[in-house]
């Protein structure tokens, strides 16, 4: 059902209406850009919206809090919801369409006969610690791409492992016909990467969390300029530094940005530092190119 039109923003809540809308755009020769989200939009999302607005395409934003990608039911239940503010942001950014399907309908529409087969690099980093998470993301993103049929889709680099999985989905299931645009991570003034989960922290917790980014920058400096660096030693030191301020590191890895493989000491290209950590029970991730 089409429940409303606010300014020029179409709000669509059913798969069929979204299909019809996207097909009619296709018939008019218009292309679609997609920005998939789980709502609770912040400046990081706004950056994706502004990237999308630079094309002549119609921009569709999807908002679906995907239960399949939460490995912790409490995390899912407490996922922040700010629909009115989200709609205002979409209107301000002149977005054409918001697709906000119901949980039942979207889950029922997923074809379970094609079970995702993830590449081996999806077993590392978050894949190692969040059981089933990427399978859940895979299923929903594949479904959104099928329904919306975009020419372009925008994803943030903060979720880097997700981003390379999306490239894999597009290659395996859409014959590389969708262009995936990676967008830079947007940070608070103190360096903390924007995330919907930041809303779960106090100001002082956010300041403490920002120390992780500063630690990543310090590591980057050493790795780039000290040819004799010992990454295992550096990691132990960083984990120790951060534990003193109440941060629990889940992983802190230096890997290839191509396929998340371990890099050799003399490999200086495509290196990336990846981190996941907890502060006061909130789990956050970040990464930087080295
Ligand atoms: O990055 C996100 O917000 C989600 O993982 C996505 C891509 C919208 C799939 O649910």
């Amino acid at each position: 059902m089409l429940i409303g039109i606010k300014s020029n923003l179409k709000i669509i809540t059913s798969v069929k209406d979204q299909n019809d809308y996207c097909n009619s755009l296709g018939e008019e020769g218009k292309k679609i850009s997609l920005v998939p989200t789980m709502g609770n939009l912040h400046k990081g999302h706004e950056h994706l919206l502004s990237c999308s607005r630079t094309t002549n395409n119609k921009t569709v934003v999807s908002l679906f809090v995907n239960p399949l990608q939460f490995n912790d039911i409490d995390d899912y239940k407490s996922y922040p919801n700010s629909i009115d503010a989200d709609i205002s942001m979409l209107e301000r950014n002149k977005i054409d369409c918001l697709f906000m399907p119901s949980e039942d309908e979207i889950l029922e529409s997923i074809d379970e006969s094609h079970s995702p087969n993830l590449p081996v690099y999806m077993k590392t980093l978050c894949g190692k610690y969040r059981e089933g998470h990427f399978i859940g993301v895979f299923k929903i993103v594949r479904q959104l791409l099928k329904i919306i049929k975009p020419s372009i889709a925008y994803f943030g680099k903060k979720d880097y492992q997700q981003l390379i999985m999306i490239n894999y989905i597009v290659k395996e299931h859409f014959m590389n016909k969708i262009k995936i645009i990676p967008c830079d991570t947007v940070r608070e003034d103190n360096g903390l990467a924007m995330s919907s989960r930041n809303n779960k922290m106090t100001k002082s917790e956010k300041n403490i969390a920002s120390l992780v980014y500063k630690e990543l920058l310090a590591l980057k400096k050493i790795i780039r300029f000290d040819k004799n660096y010992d990454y295992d030693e550096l990691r132990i030191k960083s984990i120790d530094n951060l534990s003193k301020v109440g941060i629990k590191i889940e992983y802190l890895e230096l890997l290839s940005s191509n396929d998340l493989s371990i890099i050799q000491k003399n490999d200086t290209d495509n290196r990336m530092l990846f981190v996941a950590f907890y502060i006061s029970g909130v789990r956050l991730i970040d990464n930087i190119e080295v």
Side-chain angles (χ1 to χ4, degrees), residues 37 60 134 160 163 207 258:
T37 82
V60 175
F134 284 121
Y160 191 83
L163 177 66
N207 278 331
N258 290 333

Side-chain angles (χ1 to χ4, degrees), residues 36-38 45 62 64 66 69 79 133 137 140-141 144 155 159 162 166:
T37 82
M38 297 207 298
H45 294 109
S62 62
F64 182 68
N66 173 23
Q69 71 187 74
Y79 199 80
H133 167 70
V137 177
I140 200 69
V141 171
L144 289 170
F155 291 86
D159 295 294
Q162 167 173 286
I166 307 292

